[in-house]
Amino acid sequence: MLVRPRRNRKSIGIRNLVQETSLSVHDFIFPLFLTDGKNIKVEIKSMPNIFRYSLDNLLLEIEDCLNLGIYAFALFPHYEDAKKDKLASESWNENTLYLKAIKTIKKQFPEVIIMTDVAMDPYSSDGHDGFVEDGKILNDETLEILARMAVAQAKAGSDIVGPSDMMDGRVQFIRQELDKAGFTEVSIMSYSVKYASGFYGPFRDALDSAPKSGDKKTYQMNPANSREALIEAELDTKEGADFLMVKPAGSYLDIIKLLKDNCNLPIAAYQVSGEYAMLKAASQMGWIEYEKCMLESLISIKRAGAKIILSYCAKDFAIYLKKNNL
Ligand code: PBG
C-alpha cells in the first residue's frame, strides 16, 4: 500500500495539523427569549436549559455569556395574547417590552451585538409572520408593517435586523425605510432560505406563537426544493442584505453549501429549536452523548459553509471551550 490515509490520523498532534474546519465563540449568535415582569426565568419545556427571561435576569444572562466570550445575541420577545392584534401594532409601540429591552441592553453593554427579529408572529393575533385577511397572507401590506417594526428596532439600538418572515421584496423595502430614517449603518441578516419546517415546534412553545389557523407553507419554502434557494439568495443579495441565512441547519447542509458556492455574502445558518431539542432529549435518555453530538452537529454546519451559527448550544459550546482550556 502506497497510500495509507490513517497516517494523517495517527496522533492528536497530526490530527490537529490536518483539521480543516474549526469553531470559535466568534462564530456564534445566541438566541435569547424575553418576557415581561421581574425576576422571571422560566424553562421552556421542550428546550431543556433554555429560558424565558424578564429583562433583569436577561441582563445577568448576557453578562454571563460575555464572560464566556459570546457577545452576539438574537433576541425574541414573548407577549401575552392580550397584547396581540391583527396588525402586530405592539411591535412598533415605543414603550413596548422588546424595544425598551434593546435600549437597556445596548446602554449597559455597548459592545454587545443585538440582532432583532422582524416578523409579525410574536405580536399577531393570527400567529402568522404576515398580515392575514380572509385566510390569506397579504404580501405587500405586510411589508409596511415589517418596515415600521424594523425602523422602531433600529431606533432602539438594534445592530442587525433579521427579517424572518419570508415575504417577497422585504429586504429592499426594509433597507429603503431604514435608510430614509437615517439608519444606513444598521445591517440586515435576511432569513433568505427559510423552510416550512417541523423543527420550529419548540420555538413556537417558547413564544406561544403558533399559527391560529393554517400553516406557513405559502411563504416558507418547501423542504423538497434547492434551486429555489438560489432565487431567494440572489434576490436578497440584490435587495441589499448584508448576510444570508439558511434555516434550519442540520437537515439543510446541502443548501448551506449551495449558497457558499454561489454567493459572496457571509452565510449564516440557524440550528433551530427542534434540532436542539433532539440533541437534549436523546442525551437525557442516555442514548447519545450531548457534548460530542453538539460539537459534531456544529462543526458540520461550519464545514458545509456557514461562517455564522445561530444556536441554542452556543453557551454550552463556550463552556466546553473554557472547561478544556481551548
Ligand atoms: C418566526 C420565527 C420562527 C423561528 C424564528 N423566527 C418560527 C417560525 O417561523 O414559525 C424559529 C426558530 C427556532 O425554531 O429556533 N418569525
Side-chain angles (χ1 to χ4, degrees), residues 257-321:
K257 175 80 164 75
L258 187 69
L259 261 62
K260 179 73 192 304
D261 291 343
N262 289 283
C263 310
N264 291 322
L265 287 173
I267 312 283
Y270 199 144
Q271 182 182 51
V272 299
S273 54
E275 298 179 77
Y276 175 81
M278 288 196 302
L279 284 171
K280 282 286 180 181
S283 66
Q284 284 183 350
M285 293 299 287
W287 293 341
I288 62 170
E289 269 182 57
Y290 175 71
E291 197 165 81
K292 272 190 192 161
C293 295
M294 165 188 77
L295 293 173
E296 191 175 329
S297 68
L298 295 173
I299 202 89
S300 70
I301 296 167
K302 187 95 184 269
R303 188 194 65 231
K307 170 56 186 68
I308 302 162
I309 303 174
L310 292 94
S311 171
Y312 303 95
C313 298
K315 192 176 176 194
D316 291 337
F317 174 73
I319 291 169
Y320 156 83
L321 289 185

Coordinates of all heavy atoms in Angstrom, one line a residue, residues 257-321:
K257 N -24.1 24.7 1.6 CA -23.0 24.5 0.6 C -23.4 25.2 -0.7 O -22.5 25.9 -1.3 CB -22.8 23.0 0.4 CG -21.8 22.7 -0.6 CD -20.3 22.8 0.0 CE -19.3 22.1 -0.9 NZ -19.0 22.8 -2.1
L258 N -24.6 25.0 -1.1 CA -25.1 25.7 -2.4 C -24.9 27.2 -2.4 O -24.4 27.8 -3.3 CB -26.5 25.3 -2.6 CG -27.2 25.7 -4.0 CD1 -26.6 24.8 -5.1 CD2 -28.7 25.5 -3.9
L259 N -25.3 27.8 -1.2 CA -25.1 29.2 -1.1 C -23.7 29.6 -1.1 O -23.2 30.6 -1.6 CB -25.9 29.8 0.1 CG -27.3 30.4 -0.2 CD1 -28.2 29.3 -0.8 CD2 -27.9 31.0 1.1
K260 N -22.9 28.8 -0.3 CA -21.5 29.1 -0.2 C -20.8 29.1 -1.5 O -20.0 30.0 -1.8 CB -20.8 28.0 0.7 CG -19.3 28.2 1.0 CD -19.1 29.3 1.9 CE -17.6 29.7 1.9 NZ -16.7 28.7 2.3
D261 N -21.2 28.2 -2.4 CA -20.6 28.1 -3.7 C -21.1 29.1 -4.7 O -20.4 29.4 -5.7 CB -20.8 26.7 -4.3 CG -20.1 25.6 -3.6 OD1 -19.1 25.9 -2.8 OD2 -20.4 24.4 -3.7
N262 N -22.2 29.7 -4.4 CA -22.8 30.6 -5.4 C -23.0 32.1 -5.0 O -23.3 32.9 -5.8 CB -24.2 30.1 -5.9 CG -24.1 28.8 -6.7 OD1 -23.8 28.9 -7.9 ND2 -24.3 27.7 -6.1
C263 N -22.8 32.4 -3.7 CA -23.0 33.7 -3.2 C -21.7 34.2 -2.5 O -21.0 33.4 -2.0 CB -24.1 33.8 -2.2 SG -25.6 32.9 -2.8
N264 N -21.6 35.5 -2.5 CA -20.4 36.1 -1.9 C -20.6 36.7 -0.5 O -19.7 37.1 0.1 CB -19.7 37.1 -2.8 CG -19.1 36.4 -4.0 OD1 -18.6 35.3 -3.9 ND2 -19.3 37.0 -5.2
L265 N -21.9 36.9 -0.1 CA -22.1 37.4 1.2 C -21.8 36.4 2.3 O -21.8 35.2 2.0 CB -23.6 37.8 1.3 CG -24.0 39.1 0.5 CD1 -25.5 39.3 0.6 CD2 -23.3 40.3 1.1
P266 N -21.5 36.8 3.5 CA -21.3 35.8 4.6 C -22.6 35.0 4.8 O -23.7 35.5 4.7 CB -21.1 36.7 5.8 CG -20.8 38.1 5.3 CD -21.4 38.2 4.0
I267 N -22.4 33.7 5.0 CA -23.5 32.8 5.2 C -23.7 32.5 6.7 O -22.7 32.1 7.4 CB -23.3 31.4 4.5 CG1 -22.8 31.6 3.0 CG2 -24.6 30.6 4.5 CD1 -23.8 32.0 2.0
A268 N -25.0 32.6 7.1 CA -25.3 32.2 8.5 C -26.2 31.0 8.4 O -26.9 30.8 7.4 CB -26.0 33.3 9.2
A269 N -26.2 30.1 9.4 CA -27.2 29.0 9.5 C -27.8 29.0 10.9 O -27.1 29.3 11.9 CB -26.5 27.7 9.2
Y270 N -29.1 28.7 11.0 CA -29.8 28.7 12.3 C -30.1 27.2 12.6 O -30.9 26.6 12.0 CB -31.1 29.5 12.1 CG -31.7 29.9 13.4 CD1 -32.4 31.1 13.5 CD2 -31.7 29.1 14.6 CE1 -33.0 31.6 14.7 CE2 -32.3 29.6 15.7 CZ -33.0 30.8 15.8 OH -33.6 31.2 16.9
Q271 N -29.3 26.7 13.6 CA -29.7 25.4 14.2 C -30.9 25.7 15.1 O -30.7 26.2 16.2 CB -28.4 24.9 15.0 CG -28.7 23.5 15.6 CD -27.5 23.0 16.4 OE1 -27.0 23.7 17.3 NE2 -27.0 21.8 16.1
V272 N -32.0 25.2 14.7 CA -33.3 25.7 15.3 C -33.7 24.9 16.5 O -33.0 23.9 16.9 CB -34.4 25.8 14.3 CG1 -34.1 26.7 13.2 CG2 -34.8 24.3 13.8
S273 N -34.7 25.3 17.2 CA -35.2 24.8 18.4 C -35.4 23.3 18.4 O -35.0 22.6 19.3 CB -36.5 25.4 18.8 OG -37.5 25.3 17.8
G274 N -35.9 22.7 17.3 CA -36.2 21.3 17.3 C -34.9 20.5 17.2 O -34.8 19.4 17.7
E275 N -33.9 21.1 16.5 CA -32.6 20.4 16.4 C -31.9 20.3 17.8 O -31.4 19.3 18.2 CB -31.7 21.2 15.5 CG -32.2 21.2 14.0 CD -31.3 22.0 13.1 OE1 -30.3 21.5 12.7 OE2 -31.6 23.2 12.8
Y276 N -32.0 21.4 18.6 CA -31.5 21.5 19.9 C -32.3 20.5 20.8 O -31.7 19.7 21.6 CB -31.7 22.9 20.5 CG -31.3 23.1 21.9 CD1 -30.0 23.2 22.3 CD2 -32.3 23.1 22.9 CE1 -29.6 23.4 23.7 CE2 -32.0 23.3 24.3 CZ -30.6 23.4 24.6 OH -30.3 23.6 25.9
A277 N -33.6 20.5 20.7 CA -34.5 19.6 21.5 C -34.1 18.1 21.3 O -34.0 17.3 22.2 CB -35.9 19.8 21.2
M278 N -33.8 17.8 20.0 CA -33.4 16.4 19.7 C -32.1 16.0 20.4 O -32.0 14.9 21.0 CB -33.3 16.2 18.2 CG -34.7 16.2 17.5 SD -34.6 15.5 15.9 CE -33.4 16.5 15.1
L279 N -31.1 16.9 20.3 CA -29.9 16.6 21.0 C -30.0 16.4 22.5 O -29.5 15.5 23.1 CB -28.9 17.8 20.8 CG -28.2 17.9 19.4 CD1 -27.5 19.2 19.3 CD2 -27.2 16.7 19.2
K280 N -30.8 17.3 23.1 CA -31.0 17.3 24.5 C -31.8 16.1 25.0 O -31.5 15.4 25.9 CB -31.7 18.5 25.0 CG -30.8 19.8 25.1 CD -29.9 19.7 26.3 CE -29.1 20.9 26.4 NZ -28.1 20.9 27.5
A281 N -32.9 15.8 24.2 CA -33.8 14.7 24.6 C -33.1 13.4 24.5 O -33.1 12.5 25.4 CB -35.0 14.7 23.7
A282 N -32.4 13.1 23.4 CA -31.7 11.9 23.2 C -30.6 11.7 24.3 O -30.4 10.6 24.8 CB -31.1 11.7 21.8
S283 N -29.9 12.8 24.7 CA -28.9 12.6 25.7 C -29.5 12.4 27.1 O -28.9 11.7 27.9 CB -27.9 13.8 25.6 OG -28.6 15.0 26.0
Q284 N -30.6 13.1 27.3 CA -31.3 12.8 28.6 C -31.8 11.4 28.7 O -31.8 10.8 29.8 CB -32.5 13.8 28.8 CG -32.1 15.2 29.1 CD -33.3 16.1 29.3 OE1 -34.4 15.8 29.1 NE2 -33.0 17.3 29.8
M285 N -32.1 10.8 27.6 CA -32.4 9.3 27.7 C -31.2 8.5 27.8 O -31.3 7.3 28.0 CB -33.2 8.9 26.4 CG -34.5 9.6 26.1 SD -35.7 9.1 27.4 CE -36.1 7.4 27.0
G286 N -30.0 9.1 27.7 CA -28.8 8.3 27.8 C -28.5 7.6 26.5 O -27.6 6.7 26.5
W287 N -29.1 8.0 25.4 CA -28.8 7.4 24.1 C -27.7 8.0 23.3 O -27.2 7.3 22.4 CB -30.1 7.4 23.3 CG -31.3 6.6 23.9 CD1 -31.1 5.6 24.8 CD2 -32.6 6.7 23.6 NE1 -32.3 5.1 25.1 CE2 -33.3 5.7 24.4 CE3 -33.4 7.6 22.8 CZ2 -34.7 5.6 24.4 CZ3 -34.8 7.4 22.8 CH2 -35.4 6.4 23.6
I288 N -27.4 9.2 23.5 CA -26.2 9.8 22.9 C -25.5 10.7 23.9 O -26.1 11.0 24.9 CB -26.6 10.7 21.6 CG1 -27.5 11.9 22.1 CG2 -27.3 9.9 20.5 CD1 -27.7 13.0 21.0
E289 N -24.2 11.0 23.6 CA -23.5 11.9 24.5 C -23.7 13.4 24.0 O -23.3 13.7 22.9 CB -22.0 11.6 24.5 CG -21.6 10.6 25.5 CD -20.1 10.3 25.5 OE1 -19.3 11.3 25.6 OE2 -19.8 9.2 25.3
Y290 N -24.3 14.2 24.8 CA -24.7 15.6 24.4 C -23.5 16.3 23.8 O -23.5 16.9 22.7 CB -25.3 16.3 25.5 CG -25.6 17.8 25.1 CD1 -26.6 18.1 24.2 CD2 -24.8 18.8 25.7 CE1 -26.8 19.4 23.9 CE2 -25.1 20.1 25.3 CZ -26.1 20.4 24.4 OH -26.3 21.7 24.1
E291 N -22.4 16.4 24.6 CA -21.3 17.2 24.2 C -20.7 16.8 22.8 O -20.5 17.6 21.9 CB -20.2 17.2 25.3 CG -19.2 18.4 25.1 CD -18.4 18.5 26.4 OE1 -17.4 17.8 26.6 OE2 -18.8 19.4 27.3
K292 N -20.4 15.5 22.7 CA -19.9 15.0 21.4 C -20.8 15.3 20.2 O -20.3 15.8 19.2 CB -19.7 13.5 21.5 CG -18.4 13.0 22.0 CD -18.3 11.5 21.8 CE -17.1 11.0 22.7 NZ -17.2 9.5 22.8
C293 N -22.1 15.1 20.4 CA -23.0 15.2 19.3 C -23.2 16.7 19.0 O -23.4 17.1 17.9 CB -24.3 14.5 19.6 SG -24.1 12.7 19.7
M294 N -23.2 17.6 20.1 CA -23.3 19.0 19.9 C -22.1 19.5 19.0 O -22.3 20.2 18.0 CB -23.3 19.7 21.2 CG -23.0 21.2 21.1 SD -22.7 22.0 22.7 CE -21.1 21.6 23.1
L295 N -20.9 19.1 19.4 CA -19.7 19.5 18.6 C -19.8 19.0 17.2 O -19.5 19.8 16.3 CB -18.5 19.0 19.3 CG -18.1 19.6 20.7 CD1 -17.0 18.9 21.3 CD2 -17.9 21.1 20.6
E296 N -20.2 17.8 17.0 CA -20.3 17.3 15.6 C -21.3 18.0 14.8 O -21.1 18.3 13.6 CB -20.7 15.8 15.8 CG -20.5 15.0 14.5 CD -20.8 13.5 14.8 OE1 -20.5 13.0 15.9 OE2 -21.3 12.8 13.9
S297 N -22.5 18.3 15.4 CA -23.5 19.0 14.6 C -23.1 20.4 14.3 O -23.3 20.9 13.2 CB -24.9 19.0 15.4 OG -24.8 19.8 16.5
L298 N -22.4 21.0 15.2 CA -22.0 22.4 14.9 C -20.8 22.5 13.9 O -20.9 23.3 13.0 CB -21.5 23.1 16.2 CG -22.5 23.3 17.3 CD1 -21.9 23.8 18.6 CD2 -23.6 24.3 16.8
I299 N -19.9 21.5 14.0 CA -18.8 21.6 13.0 C -19.3 21.2 11.6 O -18.8 21.7 10.6 CB -17.6 20.6 13.5 CG1 -16.3 21.1 12.8 CG2 -17.8 19.2 13.1 CD1 -15.5 22.1 13.5
S300 N -20.3 20.4 11.6 CA -20.8 20.1 10.2 C -21.5 21.3 9.5 O -21.4 21.4 8.3 CB -21.8 18.9 10.3 OG -23.0 19.3 10.9
I301 N -22.1 22.1 10.4 CA -22.7 23.3 9.8 C -21.6 24.3 9.3 O -21.7 24.9 8.2 CB -23.6 24.0 10.9 CG1 -24.7 23.1 11.3 CG2 -24.1 25.4 10.4 CD1 -25.4 23.6 12.6
K302 N -20.5 24.4 10.0 CA -19.4 25.2 9.6 C -18.7 24.6 8.4 O -18.4 25.3 7.4 CB -18.4 25.3 10.8 CG -17.2 26.3 10.6 CD -17.5 27.6 11.2 CE -16.4 28.6 11.0 NZ -15.4 28.6 12.0
R303 N -18.5 23.3 8.4 CA -17.9 22.6 7.3 C -18.7 22.8 6.0 O -18.1 23.0 4.9 CB -17.7 21.1 7.6 CG -16.9 20.3 6.6 CD -17.1 18.8 6.8 NE -18.5 18.5 6.6 CZ -19.3 17.8 7.4 NH1 -18.9 17.3 8.6 NH2 -20.5 17.5 7.1
A304 N -20.0 22.8 6.1 CA -20.9 23.0 4.9 C -20.7 24.4 4.3 O -21.0 24.6 3.2 CB -22.3 22.7 5.3
G305 N -20.3 25.3 5.1 CA -20.1 26.7 4.6 C -20.6 27.8 5.3 O -20.5 29.0 4.9
A306 N -21.2 27.6 6.5 CA -21.7 28.7 7.3 C -20.6 29.3 8.1 O -19.9 28.6 8.8 CB -22.8 28.3 8.2
K307 N -20.4 30.7 8.0 CA -19.4 31.3 8.9 C -20.1 31.6 10.3 O -19.4 31.5 11.3 CB -19.0 32.6 8.3 CG -18.1 33.5 9.3 CD -16.9 32.7 9.8 CE -16.1 33.5 10.9 NZ -16.9 33.7 12.1
I308 N -21.4 31.9 10.2 CA -22.1 32.3 11.5 C -23.1 31.2 11.8 O -23.8 30.8 10.9 CB -22.8 33.6 11.3 CG1 -21.8 34.7 10.9 CG2 -23.6 34.1 12.5 CD1 -22.4 35.9 10.2
I309 N -23.2 30.8 13.1 CA -24.1 29.8 13.5 C -25.0 30.4 14.6 O -24.5 30.9 15.6 CB -23.5 28.6 14.0 CG1 -22.5 28.0 12.9 CG2 -24.5 27.5 14.4 CD1 -21.7 26.8 13.4
L310 N -26.3 30.5 14.4 CA -27.3 30.8 15.4 C -27.6 29.5 16.1 O -28.1 28.6 15.4 CB -28.5 31.5 14.9 CG -28.3 32.9 14.3 CD1 -28.1 32.8 12.8 CD2 -29.5 33.8 14.6
S311 N -27.4 29.3 17.4 CA -27.6 28.1 18.0 C -27.9 28.2 19.5 O -27.2 29.0 20.2 CB -26.4 27.1 17.8 OG -26.6 26.0 18.6
Y312 N -28.9 27.4 20.0 CA -29.1 27.4 21.4 C -28.0 26.6 22.2 O -28.0 26.6 23.4 CB -30.5 26.7 21.7 CG -31.6 27.4 20.9 CD1 -32.0 27.0 19.7 CD2 -32.2 28.5 21.5 CE1 -33.0 27.6 19.0 CE2 -33.2 29.2 20.8 CZ -33.6 28.8 19.5 OH -34.5 29.4 18.8
C313 N -27.1 26.0 21.4 CA -26.0 25.3 22.0 C -24.8 26.3 22.2 O -23.8 25.9 22.8 CB -25.4 24.2 21.1 SG -26.6 22.9 20.8
A314 N -24.9 27.6 21.8 CA -23.8 28.5 21.8 C -23.1 28.6 23.2 O -21.9 28.5 23.3 CB -24.2 29.9 21.3
K315 N -24.0 28.7 24.2 CA -23.4 28.8 25.6 C -22.7 27.5 26.0 O -21.6 27.6 26.6 CB -24.5 29.3 26.6 CG -23.9 29.7 27.9 CD -25.0 30.2 28.8 CE -24.4 30.6 30.2 NZ -25.5 30.8 31.2
D316 N -23.4 26.4 25.7 CA -22.8 25.1 26.1 C -21.4 25.0 25.4 O -20.5 24.4 25.9 CB -23.7 23.9 25.6 CG -24.9 23.9 26.5 OD1 -24.9 24.4 27.6 OD2 -25.9 23.3 26.0
F317 N -21.4 25.4 24.1 CA -20.1 25.3 23.4 C -19.0 26.2 24.0 O -17.9 25.8 24.2 CB -20.3 25.8 21.9 CG -19.0 25.8 21.1 CD1 -18.4 24.7 20.7 CD2 -18.4 27.1 20.8 CE1 -17.2 24.7 20.1 CE2 -17.2 27.1 20.1 CZ -16.6 26.0 19.8
A318 N -19.4 27.4 24.4 CA -18.4 28.3 25.1 C -17.9 27.7 26.4 O -16.7 27.8 26.7 CB -19.0 29.7 25.3
I319 N -18.8 27.1 27.1 CA -18.5 26.4 28.4 C -17.5 25.3 28.1 O -16.5 25.1 28.8 CB -19.7 26.0 29.2 CG1 -20.5 27.2 29.7 CG2 -19.4 25.0 30.3 CD1 -21.9 26.9 30.2
Y320 N -17.8 24.5 27.1 CA -16.9 23.4 26.7 C -15.5 23.9 26.4 O -14.5 23.3 26.9 CB -17.5 22.7 25.5 CG -16.5 21.9 24.6 CD1 -16.1 20.6 25.0 CD2 -15.9 22.5 23.5 CE1 -15.1 20.0 24.3 CE2 -15.0 21.9 22.8 CZ -14.6 20.6 23.1 OH -13.6 19.9 22.4
L321 N -15.4 25.0 25.7 CA -14.1 25.6 25.3 C -13.3 26.0 26.6 O -12.1 25.7 26.8 CB -14.2 26.9 24.5 CG -14.6 26.7 23.0 CD1 -14.6 28.1 22.3 CD2 -13.8 25.7 22.3

